[in-house]
Amino acid sequence: DGGITQSPKYLFRKEGQNVTLSCEQNLNHDAMYWYRQDPGQGLRLIYYSQIVNDFQKGDIAEGYSVSREKKESFPLTVTSAQKNPTAFYLCASKGIGRTNTGELFFGEGSRLTVL
Amino acid sequence: AQTVTQSQPEMSVQEAETVTLSCTYDTSESDYYLFWYKQPPSRQMILVIRQEAYKQQNATENRFSVNFQKAAKSFSLKISDSQLGDAAMYFCAYRSNRDDKIIFGKGTRLHILP
């Protein structure tokens, strides 16, 4: 079945460590997005990419990095520079073009806890 | 920069009644999309309804409808005949047609009272 797969579902890390969250889609979507969800804060945009080898910062990019080497994959690295990384992370994708409705398709999320 | 505001952190409605969730947004663009997404306890995000800014007619999807007021930059969601399965977080979202940036409001938690 087509969809978006995020892994791992749960992740624990020690302070000072970098960690990479995986996001893979087989929907043939060009655009991919990373959001962070905290209680009472909604979804905040970290990074997004409309095409391979190109990406844009969202509203809270500091302390995060991404790459888009393949259309299907958009991994997010939470670096040690991110001061409060404990959160629920959501990856999403969508098609592009004038006929596209703009609907985002979401993964099931990854819960990162810093110990 | 665009912003999306949901002023109701929580709401409750009696089963079978109607409830309206509010959303306002700020943008200087004229061409964009607006969305309502639902996030049940499973945390899987589900699209409820979408609205294209250039369409004056309000979108409807079964029991869900919107009141889109472009000049007022308002996009409220009406849920009719509320059901227990409607209990969830509801997020309003804005998509820029200029740069494809998609931003969300802080959400409204909806409780359905039996």
Side-chain angles (χ1 to χ4, degrees):
Chain A
D1 284 357
I4 299 180
T5 302
Q6 288 187 242
S7 62
K9 198 166 184 178
Y10 299 96
L11 185 60
F12 298 87
R13 84 153 210 220
K14 294 181 180 179
E15 278 192 34
Q17 289 180 336
N18 291 355
V19 63
T20 297
L21 307 181
S22 170
C23 179
E24 303 276 335
Q25 55 98 359
N26 60 4
L27 300 168
N28 199 32
H29 284 166
D30 290 288
M32 297 186 74
Y33 298 74
W34 274 106
Y35 293 91
R36 170 180 171 143
Q37 185 175 12
D38 298 281
Q41 294 296 319
L43 276 67
R44 291 183 290 170
L45 181 63
I46 305 173
Y47 270 98
Y48 66 108
S49 167
Q50 294 173 282
I51 196 169
V52 173
N53 292 324
D54 189 38
F55 47 82
Q56 290 75 43
K57 290 183 179 180
D59 298 323
I60 56 164
E62 185 175 351
Y64 299 96
S65 66
V66 293
S67 63
R68 189 85 189 277
E69 297 177 0
K70 298 186 302 181
K71 186 176 182 178
E72 301 78 18
S73 178
F74 191 41
L76 173 73
T77 297
V78 185
T79 75
S80 57
Q82 169 51 231
K83 297 190 185 311
N84 185 20
T86 294
F88 186 67
Y89 291 87
L90 280 165
C91 180
S93 72
K94 72 170 190 66
I96 63 172
R98 287 201 61 79
T99 59
N100 186 271
T101 61
E103 175 186 355
L104 283 173
F105 292 80
F106 285 86
E108 293 185 335
S110 293
R111 174 72 186 175
L112 172 62
T113 302
V114 174
L115 305 172
Chain B
Q2 300 94 356
T3 58
V4 176
T5 302
Q6 294 180 249
S7 58
Q8 305 150 317
E10 288 195 63
M11 292 191 71
S12 296
V13 63
Q14 209 75 34
E15 195 175 2
E17 297 295 310
T18 295
V19 63
T20 298
L21 308 183
S22 300
C23 173
T24 58
Y25 59 95
D26 191 25
T27 184
S28 58
E29 299 173 350
S30 60
D31 189 18
Y32 49 86
Y33 277 86
L34 296 165
F35 305 86
W36 279 98
Y37 284 88
K38 169 184 176 181
Q39 188 183 46
S42 68
R43 305 197 84 166
Q44 179 65 52
M45 295 284 284
I46 303 163
L47 177 69
V48 175
I49 199 165
R50 70 171 69 86
Q51 175 79 43
E52 298 162 79
Y54 67 86
K55 288 189 176 179
Q56 292 187 343
Q57 186 174 5
N58 289 326
T60 61
E61 286 287 342
N62 302 314
R63 297 183 295 109
F64 299 87
S65 62
V66 298
N67 183 4
F68 174 47
Q69 302 288 330
K70 191 172 183 179
K73 296 179 184 175
S74 171
F75 183 61
S76 60
L77 174 69
K78 185 171 83 169
I79 305 174
S80 304
D81 185 25
S82 297
Q83 300 175 359
L84 294 177
D86 294 334
M89 282 289 289
Y90 286 82
F91 293 99
C92 180
Y94 170 99
R95 175 209 162 197
S96 165
N97 278 6
R98 178 177 57 84
D99 59 9
D100 231 6
K101 186 177 181 181
I102 302 175
I103 59 171
F104 287 76
K106 292 186 177 183
T108 296
R109 183 172 298 282
L110 179 64
H111 303 277
I112 310 296
L113 307 174

